[in-house]
Amino acid sequence: MAEAVPVRCPACLRENGYTAPVFPCACGSPVHPPLDLAAPPVPLTHRTWSDTWVTVRCTTCGRESEWPHPELGCGSCGTVVLIPVHPLEGTGTPAGPAGPVGSSAAAARPDPGGAAGGPTSGVAGGRPAHIPPPPAAPVPRPAFRPVTIRTARDAVATAALYLRWLGFRDVRQPDGRPIPAATVDLRAPGLVAQVDPTTAPAGLRAVECVWLNGLTASATSVYFALAGYTEEARARADDLGIPLFVMDLTGMPQPVNDPAEALVGPDA
């Protein structure tokens, strides 16, 4: 857990304690946005999608992912401020030598058998050149690390994290001013998802709407809900092949039908 740092509200000049959130990288390591405490916080007067997310690089595996931008509500005047973060820097790591000392010389040294046209000609590592190497064993997917859901925004962020964990890239809300609605859209290449953070079960119409959106975009349709689904919605989703997930307040999505189980796969 990161330590709390003081953040001064630019409106009333009161200092508020703030602890940077910690998020789970796909490799399983915790990541957190690098706060730039030398820069003043910026009042949030109009929320945009670009202000909501920030790109953070995992210090363990180097993966770059988008996470919620750090923000803080002043406990005195209620002003919401965005806390600046350090921008990503290039790795700057110079390319190392091609191999240990002497490896180039060893590679250039003629093969005695090959020079004579012996049986070792065309053999690499004891395997004939025309035989491909065996396929590498698949790397098991790390366990998903949930983030506690306290607000509707947490539910949307959790769904986005879970979709990234499933392998979808560039998961984000569509650009443009969102239409006021109970559900929130998430999009990625080949994906259309809706998140319902309300306390009422998702109904038949909600499932059919996300199916139509996916059909229009030629993409996979997925639905997340906090309060589950009506029997009609679940039956219709099974007919249409729509994966349904339910999220509890611990932030762990659970598949509730066969299409969702198939989307998660056997490695979960």
Side-chain angles (χ1 to χ4, degrees):
M1 178 67 69
E3 296 182 357
V5 295
V7 176
R8 186 180 298 276
C9 174
C12 68
L13 303 182
R14 174 184 176 180
E15 283 193 349
N16 297 267
Y18 178 77
T19 302
V22 178
F23 302 108
C25 178
C27 72
S29 299
V31 296
H32 58 84
L35 303 181
D36 184 2
L37 299 179
V42 180
L44 181 60
T45 57
H46 177 71
R47 188 180 298 278
T48 63
W49 182 251
S50 59
D51 292 333
T52 304
W53 300 92
V54 63
T55 303
V56 182
R57 179 181 294 130
C58 176
T59 57
T60 301
C61 69
R63 182 191 302 268
E64 295 179 4
S65 303
E66 288 187 337
W67 302 99
H69 196 294
E71 62 180 51
L72 172 68
C74 178
S76 178
C77 67
T79 299
V80 178
V81 297
L82 290 176
I83 302 175
V85 299
H86 290 287
L88 288 180
E89 298 178 356
T91 56
T93 303
V101 176
S103 60
S104 299
R109 189 179 301 126
D111 183 3
T120 59
S121 178
V123 177
R127 183 180 62 253
H130 69 279
I131 299 179
V139 179
R141 182 169 55 193
F144 177 71
R145 295 193 176 186
V147 178
T148 302
I149 296 176
R150 298 183 179 89
T151 65
R153 185 183 175 200
D154 292 338
V156 177
T158 296
L161 294 179
Y162 192 75
L163 290 170
R164 293 192 187 102
W165 179 76
L166 289 177
F168 293 99
R169 303 300 179 193
D170 196 25
V171 180
R172 59 179 63 241
Q173 260 184 300
D175 293 332
R177 189 176 183 86
I179 300 175
T183 59
V184 178
D185 287 341
L186 291 174
R187 300 293 177 97
L191 171 74
V192 172
Q194 281 194 331
V195 184
D196 185 354
T198 65
T199 56
L204 174 64
R205 181 178 179 183
V207 169
E208 291 181 338
C209 284
V210 73
W211 172 72
L212 288 173
N213 289 339
L215 192 65
T216 302
S218 299
T220 300
S221 302
V222 184
Y223 205 99
F224 293 85
L226 275 180
Y229 305 87
T230 64
E231 291 296 331
E232 294 82 1
R234 292 189 59 172
R236 188 59 170 157
D238 290 340
D239 293 339
L240 299 174
I242 305 298
L244 301 181
F245 293 88
V246 63
M247 298 185 294
D248 57 25
L249 296 182
T250 66
M252 176 60 76
Q254 297 290 344
V256 298
N257 63 351
D258 290 340
E261 295 278 4
L263 181 64
V264 174
D267 295 334

